[in-house]
Amino acid sequence: GFSESYLIREDRFEGQLRTHCYMEPQATVASFDLSKKLNVWTSSQGPFIKRAKLATTLGLPFSDVHVHKAYVGGAYGGKVDLFSHEFCASLLSIKTGKPVKIVTTRQEIFESYRHGQPIIVELKTGVKKDGTILSQKVRVINNAGAYRGSGVVVIFLCWGFIMIPYRIPNLKYEGYSVYTNNPVRAPQRGHEAPNLRFAVESQMDMLAEELGIDPVEIRLKNARQKGDILPNGDPVHNCGLRECIEKISKETNFKARYGKGRLQKDNRFRRGIGIGVSAYFTGSLIYPNSSAAVVKLNDDGTVSLLTGALDIGQGPETILSQIVAEELGVSMEDIRVVSGDTETTPVDIGSWISGGAYVSGNAVKMAASNARRQLFEIAADELEANPEDLISKDKKIYVKGSPEKFISFAKAVSLSIEKRRGNPIIGQGHFRTMKDVPMHPSLATTKGRWSESYAFDAQVAEVEVDIKTGKVKVLKATTAHDCGFPINPLLVEGQIDGQVSMAQGHALWEEVLMEKGKTLTTSFLDYKIPCSKDMVESDYIDVITEKYERDKPYRTKEVGEGYVSGMVAAIANAVYDATGVRVKTIPIYPEKILFGLREKNSK
C-alpha cells in the first residue's frame, strides 16, 4: 500500500490523563443480614456485573449477593469495575454482622481511584493523489498504571476505532500497554476513541492540505458505506456517514468558510472551523452478554415492566417505557417500572458498552410483543375475530374498522385468568447482539466479531482564538449523527450536549497531572471542567437509517459515547484553521498556541 502511495505522512499525537468527574463520589452501603445474604447498595453502572465480581471475590454464591437498585450521580465508565471500598464494606459487614457505609472523598478519587487512558498514537498513512487511503500503520502506546485495569482492553479497542469510520485496504496495527507507577486505568467515555480519532482526524486534515483538496472531500472519498464488511468480519448493516458529512458541510457552509481564519493577519481574535468524524459500536458480547425483560399486565389494565437496566442518566426507564407503550398501545403513565435489582428483575447487560437502547430495548420490545400476542388471543375469542384483525389503544383492544367492538385490558386479564386456569398475562423477552456468535472477541488475537450495530457521526466546531493570550473559545458545535433512529429525540439532544461539553473539556482544559507517581491535581479547583456558563450553542442533524416496526427487532444505535471523539478532533482542526498552529498534544493549552505562533513568526 505504501509503495503505491502518492503521499505518505508520519505523525505522532499524545492524549492526556483525564478523570471522569462524576458529581456523586464512589459510595457503598453493605449489610449482611440474618439469612446470610449480602445486601449491597452501590454507585455502579450495572447491578449484575457488580454482583458477579463481588460474589467471585468474596467466594460467595451469586444467589447470596443481592445488589439493590441505586440511583447514580454519573459514571462515564468510572464505576464499572469492582473497587476496594465495595469489597471492604462487604467484607466488614460479613465479619461484624453490621451495616457498613463507605463514601470516598474527592481527593481520594483523584489520588487513588481509576482514571482514563493517556495514549500515544503514531500514525503513518499513505494516500493516492485524490486522497484515497491506500495504507495505514498505527502504533498505540498506553500508560496503563500499576495494574492491568482496562489498559489491555484499550489497546484492543483502538484498532477498532481505526477500522470503523474509513475504508483502509492495508492496515497494520500494534498496541502496547505499559505498566507504570501510576493509578490504575478504567474505561472513560469513548474508551480512548476520542484520543485515537483526534490523531486520525488531525492527520486527515494535514493530508488534505498537502494534497490541496478539501477536508470534506477527503472524508467523503474514504467514508464507510452501507454493506461494507469490517476487517473483523462485522457487516455494516446501515451507515449514514456519507450523508452526515454532506449534510453538516452544507448546514455549516463549511467549504466556503474553511481557510479564512488564517487570512485574518491583523485580527487579535481569529475564528476557525474544523470537522471531525467518528464511529462507535453498539453493544457487544461482554458479561452478562444479553438482557431479558418481563412485561406483566395487572388486574386494572396497567402494566408492570421488570428490567435489570439501571437508570444512570441516559434515560433507560423512559425509553424502555416508551417501547412498552408503543408495543401495547398504552400511555406511559400506565406503566410501572421495577428495575436494576438482581433479586427481582431479569439479567441486564448494564449501562456500558453502549448497549442499553439496543440490547435492553430489544429485550423489552420482545417481552411487550409477547404480552400483546397473549392479549390478542384472549380478546379474539371474546370479540369473535382473528388476532391479526385486532389493534390496541388506550388500554383497549379493538377490531379494526369496528371501533364499537372492543374489550378493555382489565377485562382481557380477567378472561385470561378465567379461561386459562389462572394463567395471567406475562410477556417475556430476551435479546443479545450476534446471537450465533459464541463469545466476545479475543483480546489476545483480536479475532472475533464486535457488534452488528454501528453508529456514525460527523461534527463541526467553530472556535475563536485570542492570539495575544492563546485562549480558545468554542462558539458553536454542530453534530450530524446516524443513531439508527432517535427513540426519544429530546434525550438524544441531551446526550449530544453532554458529549460536546465533555469534548470541550477534553480538548482544552482537563488533565490529571502526575509527578513520580504522585497526583498533583486533587480537587476541582485544580482540575478544570466545563461548567454551565461554558456550554456552547449546539445544532443537531438527524440522519435516519432505521425504522421502528412492531414485533421486529431494530438496530437503533448508541448516542451517548462516540460523539465525544469527533468533536475533540473538530476543535483541534478548528484551532489550526484559525491560527495555522497544529497542536499534536492535548489539551490545547494557550501556551501551546503561543509557542506555535512564535515558531511560525520566526521562520
Side-chain angles (χ1 to χ4, degrees):
F2 287 124
S3 66
E4 298 171 1
S5 297
Y6 172 80
L7 172 67
I8 299 172
R9 275 204 67 96
E10 293 189 63
D11 297 285
R12 186 178 193 269
F13 301 87
E14 292 186 28
Q16 78 275 45
L17 177 61
R18 297 168 56 245
T19 196
H20 303 78
C21 300
Y22 32 76
M23 292 294 97
E24 177 196 36
Q26 298 275 5
T28 295
V29 172
S31 179
F32 193 64
D33 63 26
L34 296 176
S35 69
K36 306 298 182 184
K37 175 160 288 192
L38 176 64
N39 296 276
V40 178
W41 295 259
T42 191
S43 187
S44 86
Q45 292 181 240
F48 290 92
I49 190 168
K50 196 67 75 172
R51 179 183 68 174
K53 292 184 175 184
L54 270 172
T56 302
T57 309
L58 292 164
L60 296 173
F62 279 28
S63 58
D64 284 352
V65 179
H66 180 184
V67 179
H68 295 255
K69 177 180 180 176
Y71 288 104
V72 180
Y76 318 116
K79 296 177 179 178
V80 170
D81 296 315
L82 178 65
F83 293 93
S84 56
H85 72 281
E86 293 168 320
F87 172 79
C88 290
S90 299
L91 185 62
L92 282 169
S93 184
I94 292 170
K95 295 287 189 183
T96 63
K98 302 290 185 182
V100 175
K101 178 172 75 170
I102 299 178
V103 180
T104 57
T105 66
R106 188 62 59 176
Q107 182 173 343
E108 287 172 333
I109 291 172
F110 272 106
E111 291 181 342
S112 306
Y113 277 72
R114 302 192 176 191
H115 304 313
Q117 326 265 348
I119 64 169
I120 296 166
V121 181
E122 297 173 353
L123 271 178
K124 179 181 179 181
T125 305
V127 295
K128 291 181 181 180
K129 195 171 184 177
D130 66 358
T132 303
I133 297 173
L134 289 177
S135 188
Q136 196 164 63
K137 181 180 177 181
V138 187
R139 191 170 185 248
V140 171
I141 305 164
N142 180 43
N143 177 344
Y147 297 92
R148 176 179 146 168
S150 69
V152 176
V153 178
V154 155
I155 59 167
F156 168 74
L157 289 175
C158 279
W159 94 265
F161 301 139
I162 285 282
M163 76 174 178
I164 304 170
Y166 298 133
R167 293 169 163 176
I168 308 169
N170 302 286
L171 172 63
K172 181 177 181 179
Y173 174 83
E174 298 175 8
Y176 299 87
S177 190
V178 184
Y179 290 131
T180 61
N181 185 27
N182 287 284
V184 193
R185 312 305 190 207
Q188 186 173 7
R189 188 52 64 94
H191 217 162
E192 275 329 279
N195 284 336
L196 195 284
R197 296 313 304 172
F198 156 68
V200 173
E201 296 299 307
S202 295
Q203 194 187 64
M204 287 293 279
D205 268 30
M206 296 158 81
L207 287 163
E209 185 174 25
E210 283 197 52
L211 292 168
I213 61 178
D214 186 88
V216 169
E217 294 306 317
I218 196 172
R219 287 171 171 83
L220 285 173
K221 192 164 289 290
N222 294 287
R224 285 280 175 204
Q225 297 183 39
K226 179 180 179 179
D228 282 2
I229 302 297
L230 300 180
N232 70 326
D234 281 353
V236 180
H237 292 284
N238 51 51
C239 174
L241 181 55
R242 285 182 61 86
E243 190 177 349
C244 286
I245 298 170
E246 289 168 347
K247 283 190 172 183
I248 204 168
S249 174
K250 183 179 180 181
E251 178 72 21
T252 61
N253 197 21
F254 187 91
K255 292 183 179 182
R257 298 168 64 191
Y258 183 75
K260 299 296 190 293
R262 281 160 278 164
L263 302 177
Q264 303 166 25
K265 300 293 185 181
D266 300 324
N267 293 352
R268 173 180 171 179
F269 296 96
R270 298 182 187 174
R271 294 196 172 190
I273 190 169
I275 189 170
V277 162
S278 66
Y280 208 80
F281 63 102
T282 302
S284 192
L285 296 181
I286 303 173
Y287 181 86
N289 297 337
S290 63
S291 293
V294 172
V295 170
K296 180 176 61 133
L297 269 75
N298 302 315
D299 292 349
D300 60 358
T302 60
V303 181
S304 294
L305 167 63
L306 280 68
T307 171
L310 200 61
D311 204 343
I312 199 173
Q314 308 100 320
E317 291 188 10
T318 301
I319 64 169
L320 296 181
S321 294
Q322 284 182 256
I323 292 168
V324 173
E326 182 74 22
E327 291 291 314
L328 288 180
V330 299
S331 69
M332 290 180 64
E333 288 76 13
D334 292 319
I335 301 169
R336 302 292 178 267
V337 181
V338 179
S339 64
D341 187 294
T342 59
E343 200 83 350
T344 59
T345 65
V347 70
D348 185 81
I349 198 168
S351 292
W352 61 312
I353 61 171
S354 296
Y358 178 49
V359 180
S360 302
N362 267 310
V364 168
K365 194 174 191 292
M366 294 171 72
S369 176
N370 181 260
R372 192 181 77 248
R373 179 185 57 78
Q374 296 178 54
L375 262 176
F376 281 15
E377 287 174 355
I378 295 297
D381 288 341
E382 184 71 12
L383 296 171
E384 298 179 343
N386 293 320
E388 56 268 23
D389 293 330
L390 301 178
I391 57 173
S392 55
K393 185 179 179 182
D394 300 330
K395 290 197 296 184
K396 296 182 178 69
I397 305 158
Y398 297 86
V399 177
K400 292 178 186 176
S402 302
E404 72 284 355
K405 295 181 66 175
F406 69 88
I407 65 169
S408 67
F409 275 28
K411 177 66 173 176
V413 172
S414 175
L415 287 171
S416 177
I417 293 172
E418 178 184 329
K419 295 184 176 183
R420 297 199 303 177
R421 300 180 180 179
N423 190 9
I425 296 177
I426 299 176
Q428 300 181 45
H430 70 277
F431 186 84
R432 62 173 267 178
T433 185
M434 301 179 299
K435 297 178 181 64
D436 299 325
V437 177
M439 61 179 294
H440 58 76
S442 166
L443 291 179
T445 67
T446 74
K447 304 298 182 185
R449 299 273 311 279
W450 282 37
S451 182
E452 56 190 4
S453 184
Y454 286 91
F456 298 88
D457 66 276
Q459 294 178 288
V460 166
E462 301 172 36
V463 305
E464 182 180 79
V465 183
D466 182 346
I467 62 168
K468 187 173 182 179
T469 65
K471 184 178 179 181
V472 178
K473 182 179 182 181
V474 181
L475 302 174
K476 186 175 180 181
T478 306
T479 299
H481 66 100
D482 163 22
C483 70
F485 64 91
I487 295 175
N488 186 311
L490 192 61
L491 285 175
V492 168
E493 291 180 5
Q495 286 292 298
I496 293 173
D497 288 343
Q499 306 326 305
V500 169
S501 175
M502 285 186 173
Q504 187 181 5
H506 190 150
L508 302 178
W509 307 320
E510 295 183 37
E511 186 171 21
V512 175
L513 298 174
M514 307 286 300
E515 185 176 355
K516 296 181 180 179
K518 178 178 175 59
T519 306
L520 303 180
T521 42
T522 59
S523 76
F524 287 141
L525 292 175
D526 305 313
Y527 186 95
K528 304 300 183 185
I529 61 173
C531 299
S532 58
K533 290 185 178 180
D534 300 306
M535 290 297 290
V536 304
E537 181 184 351
S538 191
D539 280 351
Y540 327 94
I541 303 169
D542 293 330
V543 174
I544 310 297
T545 58
E546 269 281 326
K547 62 180 180 179
Y548 187 102
E549 296 180 81
R550 279 189 174 187
D551 298 324
K552 294 183 179 179
Y554 56 72
R555 286 194 183 94
T556 194
K557 306 175 183 182
E558 78 89 24
V559 74
E561 230 179 328
Y563 298 174
V564 178
S565 310
M567 187 52 62
V568 170
I571 291 170
N573 286 335
V575 169
Y576 176 79
D577 186 51
T579 64
V581 174
R582 175 64 65 185
V583 180
K584 295 184 179 180
T585 63
I586 45 177
I588 304 172
Y589 288 134
E591 56 264 34
K592 293 181 183 179
I593 293 175
L594 295 178
F595 289 145
L597 288 169
R598 188 180 304 165
E599 187 177 335
K600 275 173 58 71
N601 294 334
S602 66
K603 291 181 179 179

